[in-house]
Amino acid sequence: MFSPLIDDLIQALRSLPGVGPKSAQRMALQLLEHNTQGALSLAGALQRAVEGVKRCNSCRTLTEHDTCRICSSTKRQTRLVCVVESPPDVIAFEQSGVFSGRYFVLHGHLSPIDGVGPADLGLDILGQQLQAGEIDELVLATNSTIEGEATAHYIAEMGKAAQVKVSRLAQGVPMGGELEYLDGGTLAHALNSRTTV
Amino acid sequence: MFSPLIDDLIQALRSLPGVGPKSAQRMALQLLEHNTQGALSLAGALQRAVEGVKRCNSCRTLTEHDTCRICSSTKRQTRLVCVVESPPDVIAFEQSGVFSGRYFVLHGHLSPIDGVGPADLGLDILGQQLQAGEIDELVLATNSTIEGEATAHYIAEMGKAAQVKVSRLAQGVPMGGELEYLDGGTLAHALNSRTTV
Ligand SMILES: [Zn+2]
Ligand SMILES: [Zn+2]
């Protein structure tokens, strides 16, 4: 439809999550028409981030430092470790402001069918931290999916073997959640785990 | 929230139209977690497009060539010129497949208050084409806004002075448009311009 360089740019913009052909076209034309400076800044930021960002050697979250801001903070309870599947989960906790420990990011969950085993999730690193006595409690915050539960179960066993306290996020009705739209499994669990008021 | 390189990337992604803080964050993490190759491709495509894309010297649409694909085509009626405000308007016509002439892209509309005059819209170039007798008919397809109408009026006078046929897109109820949601101005115009069936 356009000239090759514009078509290439539209195609490349589609690698962004949630960007379809229409939005990619709109983005490309808007940048080239009105914001070439923004386009160049974005190109530079992408390149620098891809080259510089790696995983924290303690918690595996994304950072350009050897040890991330949270792991190097003196204000965090470093012996309390929340295990999550992905960096956005870290953000969700940080934004809630309720967790004062540190994290361990799996970047996925156990999935034998896809060939994802413990080492792919960095569980050798977590194992070393457990063995070295660096952890008092593991809070398992993997997703409430079959894979997330299986992964939590595996890590719980690791924690117990190292005689460390292991907990799992409570399950139930989300705050503000309307029962009408809740799935049956959550509702059943919430009913079975009901608390006296 | 994140490390500086990731924060910079999130900020840079926000220069894309329609991308708010949440989506920018999701895009940055997704690229760094799962698609660094896509991120590098996008960086390259942005850079090459900004460096290579300019305006067609005949119609002012975006292209990396001196003369765009449409202006250089031997299959188009080059003496029939559709005047539009922006490159996406060209795409809308091309996708409809109903127009066989070529285009002239203003990249805006007359706006004395913003200091946008005829030369900023390339009307000196259009004037030269009119004077050189290269155009038989001007189809004015600027937007149906006050500025678009004023711009169309100005170009119509240019065309008439050069004794060239000038037309304007018909106005009325859009196909598939529900009257209920139509603005009063369009409805009034459609009523006044009603045709016998
Ligand atoms: Zn860390
Ligand atoms: Zn052209």
Side-chain angles (χ1 to χ4, degrees), chain A residues 2-3 33 64 69 91 107, chain B residues 2-3 33 64 91 107:
Chain A
F2 301 90
S3 63
E33 279 271 278
E64 68 238 44
R69 194 179 51 77
I91 296 150
H107 295 277
Chain B
F2 302 89
S3 63
E33 280 271 279
E64 67 238 45
I91 296 149
H107 295 277

Side-chain angles (χ1 to χ4, degrees), chain A residues 76-156:
Chain A
R76 314 284 298 217
Q77 299 174 255
T78 52
R79 304 181 61 79
L80 171 63
V81 177
C82 179
V83 181
V84 297
E85 292 192 24
S86 71
D89 301 333
V90 173
I91 296 150
F93 274 106
E94 288 298 290
Q95 283 175 342
S96 78
V98 292
F99 184 69
S100 58
R102 62 181 178 92
Y103 301 91
F104 191 86
V105 182
L106 303 172
H107 295 277
H109 45 243
L110 291 176
S111 180
I113 210 165
D114 300 313
V116 180
D120 301 302
L121 305 181
L123 293 181
D124 46 342
I125 301 172
L126 186 66
Q128 287 159 18
Q129 295 176 7
L130 286 166
Q131 296 310 317
E134 297 172 5
I135 298 174
D136 285 340
E137 179 176 352
L138 283 180
V139 180
L140 303 178
T142 52
N143 292 333
S144 271
T145 57
I146 293 173
E147 297 84 358
E149 294 296 347
T151 306
H153 181 77
Y154 186 95
I155 301 171

Side-chain angles (χ1 to χ4, degrees), chain B:
Chain B
M1 175 59 75
F2 302 89
S3 63
L5 287 182
I6 304 179
D7 286 339
D8 288 351
L9 177 55
I10 292 171
Q11 198 52 43
L13 283 162
R14 294 197 55 193
S15 63
L16 296 172
V19 176
K22 276 273 177 192
S23 328
Q25 182 180 296
R26 198 163 47 89
M27 286 174 172
L29 294 177
Q30 203 269 352
L31 288 174
L32 293 172
E33 280 271 279
H34 304 295
N35 196 4
T36 51
Q37 198 47 60
L40 290 178
S41 300
L42 177 54
L46 284 162
Q47 192 131 18
R48 283 191 301 275
V50 168
E51 281 165 6
V53 171
K54 51 193 178 181
R55 291 176 179 181
C56 170
N57 58 22
S58 168
C59 77
R60 305 205 336 141
T61 201
L62 297 172
T63 177
E64 67 238 45
H65 304 114
D66 292 335
T67 306
C68 78
R69 193 178 51 79
I70 295 174
C71 288
S72 17
S73 166
T74 55
K75 294 180 180 159
R76 313 285 298 218
Q77 299 173 254
T78 53
R79 304 181 61 80
L80 172 62
V81 177
C82 180
V83 181
V84 296
E85 292 191 24
S86 72
D89 302 332
V90 173
I91 296 149
F93 274 106
E94 288 297 292
Q95 283 175 340
S96 78
V98 292
F99 185 68
S100 57
R102 62 181 179 92
Y103 301 91
F104 191 85
V105 182
L106 302 172
H107 295 277
H109 44 242
L110 291 176
S111 180
I113 210 166
D114 300 312
V116 181
D120 301 301
L121 305 181
L123 292 182
D124 45 343
I125 300 171
L126 186 65
Q128 287 159 16
Q129 295 176 7
L130 286 166
Q131 296 309 317
E134 297 171 6
I135 298 174
D136 286 339
E137 179 176 351
L138 282 179
V139 180
L140 303 178
T142 52
N143 292 335
S144 271
T145 56
I146 292 173
E147 297 85 358
E149 294 295 348
T151 307
H153 181 76
Y154 185 94
I155 301 171
E157 294 302 314
M158 287 174 63
K160 284 173 194 165
Q163 296 183 302
V164 156
K165 185 178 174 191
V166 179
S167 57
R168 180 96 174 98
L169 291 189
Q171 288 188 309
V173 179
M175 274 171 71
E178 296 183 51
L179 294 192
E180 187 177 348
Y181 301 110
L182 216 58
D183 69 288
T186 301
L187 202 55
H189 183 94
L191 182 66
N192 292 332
S193 309
R194 65 188 177 279
T195 53
T196 310
V197 291

Side-chain angles (χ1 to χ4, degrees), chain A:
Chain A
M1 174 61 72
F2 301 90
S3 63
L5 286 182
I6 305 178
D7 286 338
D8 289 351
L9 176 55
I10 293 171
Q11 198 52 44
L13 283 162
R14 295 197 54 193
S15 63
L16 296 171
V19 175
K22 276 273 176 190
S23 328
Q25 182 179 295
R26 198 164 46 89
M27 287 173 172
L29 294 176
Q30 203 268 353
L31 289 174
L32 293 172
E33 279 271 278
H34 304 295
N35 196 4
T36 51
Q37 199 47 58
L40 290 179
S41 300
L42 177 54
L46 283 162
Q47 192 131 19
R48 283 190 300 275
V50 168
E51 281 164 7
V53 172
K54 51 193 179 181
R55 291 175 179 180
C56 169
N57 57 23
S58 168
C59 76
R60 304 204 339 140
T61 200
L62 297 172
T63 176
E64 68 238 44
H65 305 114
D66 291 336
T67 306
C68 79
R69 194 179 51 77
I70 294 174
C71 288
S72 15
S73 167
T74 54
K75 294 180 179 158
R76 314 284 298 217
Q77 299 174 255
T78 52
R79 304 181 61 79
L80 171 63
V81 177
C82 179
V83 181
V84 297
E85 292 192 24
S86 71
D89 301 333
V90 173
I91 296 150
F93 274 106
E94 288 298 290
Q95 283 175 342
S96 78
V98 292
F99 184 69
S100 58
R102 62 181 178 92
Y103 301 91
F104 191 86
V105 182
L106 303 172
H107 295 277
H109 45 243
L110 291 176
S111 180
I113 210 165
D114 300 313
V116 180
D120 301 302
L121 305 181
L123 293 181
D124 46 342
I125 301 172
L126 186 66
Q128 287 159 18
Q129 295 176 7
L130 286 166
Q131 296 310 317
E134 297 172 5
I135 298 174
D136 285 340
E137 179 176 352
L138 283 180
V139 180
L140 303 178
T142 52
N143 292 333
S144 271
T145 57
I146 293 173
E147 297 84 358
E149 294 296 347
T151 306
H153 181 77
Y154 186 95
I155 301 171
E157 294 301 314
M158 287 174 63
K160 285 173 195 164
Q163 296 183 304
V164 156
K165 183 178 174 192
V166 179
S167 56
R168 180 94 174 99
L169 291 189
Q171 288 188 311
V173 179
M175 274 171 70
E178 296 183 50
L179 293 192
E180 188 178 347
Y181 301 110
L182 217 57
D183 69 288
T186 300
L187 202 55
H189 183 95
L191 182 66
N192 292 332
S193 310
R194 65 189 177 278
T195 53
T196 310
V197 291

